[in-house]
Amino acid sequence: MDSRMRIGELSARTGVSIRSLRYYEQRGLLTSTRTTGAHRLYNADAVARVRLLRQLFDAGLSSETIAALLPCVDTPSEDITVETLEVMRNERERIDAQISALLTTRDHLDALMARAADHLTRQRGDALAATA
């Protein structure tokens, strides 16, 4: 039994659009073979690869940055350079800054929600007192 899948199946299994999968392949982030009818075929490990790509894109990494990091995923050995490690460090610092900013925003939102809840409680209390 052939464990390869066509692009539609890969799309369905990963939740990533066919258009995005074609883009990943065009950028060298994903590979496929072709049938005699020119249909793309992907190995079963493409599912994990696409999920990793989605995580990296969702974290804000560019396709160029991802392409620079993939050799570390594929063969973490001689392909790792000082520059690649520096790219990873920079991306981690950027993500840490985003996390910090999000936590600050969440704290502000928590404070706003507490004030809004207090306001509603006072409004309800005033309304109840007026009807008594």
Side-chain angles (χ1 to χ4, degrees):
M1 182 175 143
D2 194 354
S3 64
R4 296 181 300 167
M5 67 192 98
R6 289 190 177 190
I7 196 167
E9 183 181 350
L10 182 59
S11 174
R13 290 179 64 183
T14 61
V16 173
S17 71
I18 290 172
R19 182 176 181 182
S20 292
L21 294 173
R22 288 182 181 133
Y23 173 76
Y24 299 165
E25 193 169 342
Q26 181 183 43
R27 301 299 303 190
L29 307 175
L30 183 65
T31 59
S32 69
T33 58
R34 299 291 179 128
T35 66
T36 54
H39 295 281
R40 290 175 171 89
L41 290 178
Y42 298 92
N43 291 326
D45 61 351
V47 172
R49 174 66 154 235
V50 170
R51 288 180 179 150
L52 172 64
L53 293 173
R54 276 302 346 134
Q55 283 181 314
L56 295 172
F57 277 116
D58 290 347
L61 279 71
S62 69
S63 59
E64 292 81 13
T65 299
I66 294 169
L69 302 179
L70 284 179
C72 296
V73 172
D74 296 333
T75 55
S77 59
E78 300 155 9
D79 293 329
I80 297 175
T81 64
V82 172
E83 293 80 15
T84 303
L85 188 56
E86 187 63 25
V87 167
M88 287 188 268
R89 283 188 182 121
N90 289 339
E91 287 301 322
R92 189 178 195 293
E93 288 174 9
R94 184 188 58 76
I95 290 168
D96 282 345
Q98 283 181 317
I99 290 169
S100 179
L102 286 170
L103 290 171
T104 299
T105 301
R106 184 187 65 186
D107 291 345
H108 289 295
L109 186 56
D110 285 346
L112 289 171
M113 289 168 44
R115 284 188 289 203
D118 288 345
H119 177 74
L120 284 175
T121 301
R122 282 194 306 276
Q123 276 185 324
R124 288 184 184 137
D126 291 347
L128 289 175
T131 60

